[in-house]
Amino acid sequence: MIKIAPSILSADFANLERDIQKIASADYVHVDVMDGVFVPNISIGIPVVKSIRPTTSLPLDVHLMIVEPVRYVEQFCDAGADLVTVHVEADTEENIHAAIDKIHARGKRAGVVLKPATPAGAALPFLEKVELILVMTVEPGFGGQKFMAEQMEKVTELRKLIDEKNPGCELEVDGGVDPETCKTCIAAGANVLVAGSAVYKAEDIPARIAALRG
Ligand code: DX5
Ligand code: ZN
């Protein structure tokens, strides 16, 4: 089954509770955390995760676009994240392992994220211990960018590795996913699709979420 994770980066931050109710038919709430260092943008952080936690029964999929995420993963777990993903480019391999271990010690799911220029092999050291791998299909930092179809090769490669080594692991894509590009992602082997503008710009949000399932 294809899961949809609407990104609240495209929601109205003055009306987050209302905008989270609008995506009740989705599978995850995708929360983009940016520090202005790992990416050239600043979004939301721990207090916002804590505030939105009681507004939904959907799992919170927290995408950390921050340097040295090991410093903060426990706080995001305690704030109510169900799944925390960290970029492999954001720290040393040892510290990424430490971040994953801390997330697991809190009883939460952990994932690693690859930027467009990062090869599939960069996920290998973590493949057997994570619950999700996220492939960026835009440069992280902003919503509303154009889908990078050339990332599909990486998705196909990772699907094969996941099926061999950790079949329970989810494979997520993030960036530029719409009712057309979702088909390419699903065909390449992704099973969780993040969509920000395609969901929040839609007239009929539940219908758009259904359409993104392919
Ligand atoms: C980009 C974020 C995405 C973003 C996707 O750095 O990680 O989650 O919200 O937005 P769309 O779907 O508009 O490309
Ligand atoms: Zn994201």
Side-chain angles (χ1 to χ4, degrees):
M1 193 198 85
I2 302 303
K3 297 180 181 174
I4 306 301
S7 165
I8 56 167
L9 191 62
S10 295
D12 175 358
F13 284 171
N15 290 286
L16 267 184
E17 180 168 13
R18 180 201 68 190
D19 279 7
I20 288 170
Q21 305 307 338
K22 289 182 182 170
I23 58 166
S25 63
D27 302 280
Y28 294 114
V29 178
H30 186 82
V31 181
D32 287 303
V33 176
M34 306 181 184
D35 67 353
V37 179
F38 184 73
V39 289
N41 197 7
I42 297 177
S43 56
I44 53 177
I46 298 152
V48 176
V49 172
K50 199 172 175 196
S51 295
I52 64 177
R53 177 63 286 173
T55 71
T56 178
S57 56
L58 293 177
L60 300 183
D61 162 24
V62 176
H63 174 193
L64 297 183
M65 285 163 273
I66 66 174
V67 294
E68 297 170 21
V70 66
R71 297 173 297 154
Y72 289 107
V73 289
E74 288 162 320
Q75 290 184 58
F76 279 100
C77 289
D78 294 346
D82 296 281
L83 168 69
V84 179
T85 60
V86 297
H87 272 265
V88 299
E89 308 88 358
D91 209 336
T92 62
E93 188 176 317
E94 192 186 353
N95 283 343
I96 297 299
H97 274 292
I100 294 165
D101 293 343
K102 283 185 170 184
I103 298 163
H104 285 159
R106 285 291 204 266
K108 306 299 178 90
R109 284 181 277 165
V112 288
V113 194
L114 309 181
K115 285 168 61 166
T118 304
L124 271 178
F126 316 105
L127 184 62
E128 278 159 89
K129 74 193 277 193
V130 292
E131 285 73 38
L132 180 140
I133 296 176
L134 168 53
V135 174
M136 293 306 301
T137 41
V138 297
E139 283 300 336
F142 301 92
Q145 302 181 80
K146 191 175 172 290
F147 179 75
M148 298 168 79
E150 65 272 22
Q151 295 302 315
M152 293 303 100
E153 221 173 291
K154 197 193 294 180
V155 173
T156 307
E157 203 179 329
L158 284 165
R159 167 49 62 201
K160 203 164 159 271
L161 287 165
I162 286 173
D163 288 348
E164 281 167 20
K165 295 175 188 289
N166 184 5
C169 182
E170 302 206 275
L171 183 53
E172 184 175 52
V173 289
D174 182 4
V177 176
D178 65 24
E180 274 311 306
T181 58
C182 71
K183 296 174 191 160
T184 321
C185 297
I186 295 164
N191 79 300
V192 185
L193 313 182
V194 177
S197 39
V199 167
Y200 279 107
K201 285 207 167 86
E203 286 284 325
D204 182 341
I205 289 179
R208 179 57 56 86
I209 289 171
L212 289 169
R213 294 186 195 276

